[in-house]
Amino acid sequence: MGGVRRGPVVRAVFAVKRGWYRLRYPRLTLGRGVEIRGRIRLRRGVRVRIGDRTRLNKLVRFAGPGEVRVGADCLLNATWIGTWTSVTIGDRCLLSDCELLDNDFHNLPPEQRHDTPIPATRAPIILEENVWIGAHALVMKGVRVGRDSVVGAATVVRTDVPPRVVVVGNPQQTVKKFND
């Protein structure tokens, strides 16, 4: 990916921020050249691995006892990721001000809502390579978004998205297919 050239002062600022976040969050692993342009927050023991040259803008939040893996050359812009199992984000993904939740947080039956969530309330999320998630979209548990696909703004993604399509709405609908 052809990146923007950074001067030595800007590179030094990003290096200092990477060092500070590594000290603050021992469960955070940052690849080479990660640019933390805003702030990041880790909560509840989440383990996060961020790939080389990924950029994080505004406040990017990670929470839960699960694991998040972000590929190389991604952009996370005011993203919130809640994980009890795992969230995997492929290389070159763009995530706007969206939410990825691999769990329901509560049991559905009324008599069980205040009990500890059972395993059926959670399932991993996978975003394949070069996925774009629009602002205010919600990607829910157990979903795989195929390579080169786009999730439109404010879309609620409850089922798998095939590669090379655009989905929008609630419920999600495929509105465009990219021809090979």
Side-chain angles (χ1 to χ4, degrees):
M1 180 172 160
V4 176
R5 290 206 192 282
R6 304 275 182 223
V9 173
V10 173
R11 285 193 309 269
V13 168
F14 288 131
V16 167
K17 282 185 102 170
R18 283 191 303 272
W20 187 84
Y21 277 107
R22 283 182 181 121
L23 288 173
R24 181 170 183 191
Y25 298 118
R27 292 175 173 248
L28 174 65
T29 303
L30 298 172
R32 290 174 296 133
V34 169
E35 294 182 3
I36 302 168
R37 297 174 178 180
R39 298 179 298 142
I40 56 177
R41 183 174 298 148
L42 278 67
R43 294 285 187 255
R44 294 185 154 195
V46 66
R47 293 173 314 282
V48 178
R49 179 178 301 274
I50 298 175
D52 297 344
R53 298 171 307 280
T54 288
R55 297 162 290 151
L56 297 101
N57 291 335
K58 300 182 182 179
L59 174 60
V60 177
R61 299 173 293 162
F62 305 92
E67 182 176 359
V68 177
R69 290 179 305 277
V70 179
D73 301 307
C74 292
L75 170 63
L76 279 67
N77 191 48
T79 304
W80 189 76
I81 300 174
T83 179
W84 278 66
T85 60
S86 68
V87 174
T88 303
I89 299 167
D91 294 342
R92 298 176 36 241
C93 288
L94 303 172
L95 280 68
S96 190
D97 183 1
C98 62
E99 296 183 15
L100 283 67
L101 304 175
D102 75 350
N103 62 86
D104 297 333
F105 290 103
H106 301 282
N107 301 310
L108 187 59
E111 60 280 355
Q112 295 177 1
R113 286 188 189 148
H114 295 277
D115 296 345
T116 302
I118 61 173
T121 63
R122 49 192 176 260
I125 293 173
I126 298 172
L127 305 183
E128 295 180 358
E129 204 170 304
N130 198 34
V131 167
W132 178 9
I133 308 289
H136 308 292
L138 173 61
V139 179
M140 300 179 76
K141 71 177 184 180
V143 166
R144 175 184 290 268
V145 179
R147 179 185 184 112
D148 298 325
S149 285
V150 177
V151 173
T155 297
V156 177
V157 182
R158 301 182 325 174
T159 60
D160 288 354
V161 175
R164 301 183 56 77
V165 300
V166 177
V167 297
V168 299
N170 181 11
Q172 76 198 47
Q173 298 175 37
T174 300
V175 295
K176 178 172 181 60
K177 294 180 180 180
F178 296 107
N179 297 325
D180 289 327

